[in-house]
């Protein structure tokens, strides 16, 4: 895999899929390697996807300073990747927890972002909670996996540490897919292999950001931003995504029917049409 150096000297890796103008893709987890985003290939029209391995994940080096795992510090890695690729401006996609990092990058470097895509984004950086989380779980009560997965998600969210939550993540996984089929099960099983506990633990550790300040700042952001949520995702729910989109200066919300936290897996055609149409719009 090609590599580049971040400003603090940490060597980071990335993968390029396809041909065309690049779409920089930042994985979530937090602490998950970019490998799981490979399913996005071919969904962005005539684009190449640049899948970053965040520091300490996948083929990227672990930093000497654990504090650099924090989400606001990862902004420097995205900027270093852009510069390494020789791009004046770029389209940027952040998934799940990386929605926080992608937003912070757009705020710090607005002149470097052409379009911003936030897929199933965490809204922690702007202080938006998921108010309809229980209702989202209850919508899956008819599924034959519901009771087992419900116990798993309660154990996961109630765990005191990231490390303690790991044994429960696969048990809870059905809630995050529109269909709990073979492809979804394989995708869920890959999570633990792709996860870095130090990177996951450090992502939110010691954050001092003022969410009110960030909320006000995103309202002035001129970057066209698409917020994609799955109809069945419990975190974030479509209502949560809509609140985030409404905060943004140029935000719009798109809810994918029947989808969960990984909408490109649940309906590749629908997701691809939504993404490629947004990226093809003239600026």
């Amino acid at each position: 895999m090609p590599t580049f150096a971040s400003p603090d000297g940490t060597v980071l890796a990335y993968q390029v899929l396809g041909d065309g103008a690049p779409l920089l893709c930042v994985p979530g987890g937090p602490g998950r390697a970019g490998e799981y985003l490979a399913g996005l290939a071919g969904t962005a029209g005539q684009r190449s996807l640049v899948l970053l391995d965040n520091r300490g994940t996948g083929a990227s080096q672990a930093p000497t300073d654990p504090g650099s795992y924090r989400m606001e510090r990862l902004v420097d890695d995205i900027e270093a990747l852009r510069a390494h690729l020789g791009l004046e401006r770029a389209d940027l996609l952040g998934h799940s927890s990386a929605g926080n990092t992608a937003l912070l990058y757009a705020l710090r470097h607005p002149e470097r972002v052409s379009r911003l895509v936030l897929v199933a984004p965490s809204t922690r950086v702007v202080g938006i909670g998921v108010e309809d989380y229980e209702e989202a779980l209850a919508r899956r009560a008819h599924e034959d996996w519901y009771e087992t997965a419900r116990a798993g998600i309660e154990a996961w969210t109630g765990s005191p540490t990231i490390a303690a939550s790991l044994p429960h993540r696969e048990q809870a996984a059905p809630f995050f897919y529109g269909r709990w089929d073979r492809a979804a099960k394989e995708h869920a099983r890959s999570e633990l292999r792709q996860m870095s506990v130090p990177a996951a633990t450090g992502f939110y550790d010691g954050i001092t950001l003022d969410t009110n300040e960030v909320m006000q700042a995103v309202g002035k952001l001129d970057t066209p931003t698409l917020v994609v949520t799955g109809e069945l995702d419990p975190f974030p729910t479509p209502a949560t995504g809509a609140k985030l989109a409404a905060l943004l200066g140029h935000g719009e919300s798109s809810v994918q029917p029947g989808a969960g936290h990984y909408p490109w897996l649940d309906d590749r055609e629908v997701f691809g049409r939504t993404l490629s149409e947004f990226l093809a719009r003239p600026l």
Side-chain angles (χ1 to χ4, degrees):
M1 294 175 69
T3 61
F4 65 100
S6 194
D8 67 354
T10 304
V11 177
L12 307 178
Y14 64 97
Q15 182 180 8
V16 180
L17 302 177
D19 298 305
L23 172 63
L24 309 188
C25 300
V26 185
R32 193 169 181 179
E35 177 185 349
Y36 80 98
L37 294 178
L40 289 170
T43 62
Q46 300 302 310
R47 296 298 189 99
S48 61
L49 302 184
V50 181
L51 309 183
L52 175 65
D53 277 348
N54 287 316
R55 55 181 53 217
T57 73
S60 290
Q61 279 186 346
T64 56
D65 175 14
S68 68
Y69 282 126
R70 287 199 304 272
M71 62 181 180
E72 69 269 28
R73 296 280 296 274
L74 298 182
V75 168
D76 293 335
D77 295 343
I78 299 174
E79 174 61 3
L81 174 60
R82 179 207 61 79
H84 166 76
L85 296 172
L87 303 172
E88 185 67 24
R89 303 179 75 196
D91 293 326
L92 177 65
L93 181 151
H95 176 249
S96 193
S97 59
N100 295 300
T101 315
L103 260 180
L104 291 174
Y105 179 84
L107 290 176
R108 195 182 301 175
H109 301 284
E111 75 286 357
R112 299 302 189 186
V113 185
S114 299
R115 302 173 188 84
L116 183 62
V117 181
L118 306 175
V119 182
S122 164
T123 52
R124 183 163 175 171
V125 74
V126 290
I128 297 176
V130 182
E131 296 178 357
D132 54 343
Y133 171 77
E134 290 293 336
E135 292 90 334
L137 296 183
R139 281 197 290 272
R140 312 300 295 274
H142 64 283
E143 304 274 10
D144 58 9
W145 46 257
Y146 177 79
E147 294 297 336
T148 299
R150 182 68 194 246
I153 204 167
E154 289 178 355
W156 175 13
T157 56
S159 297
T161 65
I162 293 289
S165 74
L166 293 180
H168 308 292
R169 293 174 80 103
E170 189 173 343
Q171 184 180 350
F175 280 111
F176 296 94
Y177 297 86
R179 298 182 308 278
W180 189 232
D181 55 13
R182 180 177 179 180
K185 292 174 182 177
E186 291 178 353
H187 192 263
R189 278 195 294 269
S190 71
E191 182 178 26
L192 292 184
R193 174 176 56 80
Q194 297 166 356
M195 185 73 65
S196 162
V197 172
T201 301
F203 188 78
Y204 292 116
D205 188 44
I207 289 175
T208 59
L209 290 172
D210 186 324
T211 56
N212 288 325
E213 288 184 3
V214 177
M215 185 184 298
Q216 293 174 12
V218 298
K220 302 173 184 177
L221 192 63
D222 288 333
T223 307
T225 305
L226 174 66
V227 179
V228 181
T229 51
E231 178 189 16
L232 301 176
D233 194 355
F235 187 85
T237 60
T240 310
K243 288 179 182 178
L244 174 60
L247 278 181
L248 296 162
H250 293 275
E252 62 181 274
S253 173
S254 177
V255 179
Q256 183 168 316
H261 200 65
Y262 309 93
W264 64 91
L265 293 179
D266 294 312
D267 194 322
R268 181 179 180 81
E269 181 178 348
V270 170
F271 179 83
R273 184 165 59 247
T274 300
L275 179 59
S276 59
E277 288 179 357
F278 175 74
L279 294 175
R281 292 180 195 170
L283 293 170

